[in-house]
Amino acid sequence: MIGVLLFTLIAFVLSIMIVFLNHVLFKRRRKVDIIEQMLPGYNCGMCGFGSCLGMAVKLLSDYSLINNCKICKNKDEIIKYLGDDKNEKK
Ligand code: SF4
């Protein structure tokens, strides 16, 4: 009986952990996709991150890196999106 209860408890805790990790990882991936859509999409690599996807990933941690992309016309929108997102976390 104890074994069944213990197994159920472990399964419950693991399922909660999986749901939480999935939520965190999915949310981050969704943000990267949105930022990538806002970038020019030339994948020229001139920013130093290899592609617009690489730039989008880096922008999550430091949005001043947007200035590495000389051809982006949506800089203000991207900074606003990232700023709003940071404010949302507080
Ligand atoms: S410089 Fe701009 S367009 Fe080129 S890969 Fe980097 S983010 Fe994309």
Side-chain angles (χ1 to χ4, degrees):
M1 183 67 178
I2 288 283
V4 172
L5 287 174
L6 194 59
F7 180 77
T8 304
L9 182 65
I10 290 171
F12 179 73
V13 169
L14 286 176
S15 64
I16 296 290
M17 287 172 63
I18 289 170
V19 168
F20 176 74
L21 285 174
N22 189 34
H23 176 74
V24 169
L25 294 176
F26 180 73
K27 189 175 176 185
R28 180 181 161 82
R29 179 64 204 181
R30 193 168 158 266
K31 280 190 238 171
V32 169
D33 287 345
I34 290 170
I35 296 166
E36 186 185 11
Q37 293 293 317
M38 295 168 131
L39 290 168
Y42 294 125
N43 293 315
C44 61
M46 288 175 57
C47 55
F49 303 116
S51 65
C52 295
L53 177 60
M55 170 64 115
V57 170
K58 291 291 182 184
L59 285 173
L60 284 182
S61 56
D62 182 2
Y63 59 73
S64 69
L65 294 171
I66 189 65
N67 293 319
N68 287 16
C69 181
K70 305 297 182 206
I71 53 179
C72 182
K73 294 185 176 15
N74 295 334
K75 290 179 183 176
D76 290 340
E77 286 177 44
I78 292 170
I79 289 170
K80 183 175 182 322
Y81 173 76
L82 290 166
D84 287 348
D85 187 54
K86 286 205 177 7
N87 291 335
E88 191 177 279
K89 288 178 187 167
K90 288 179 183 174

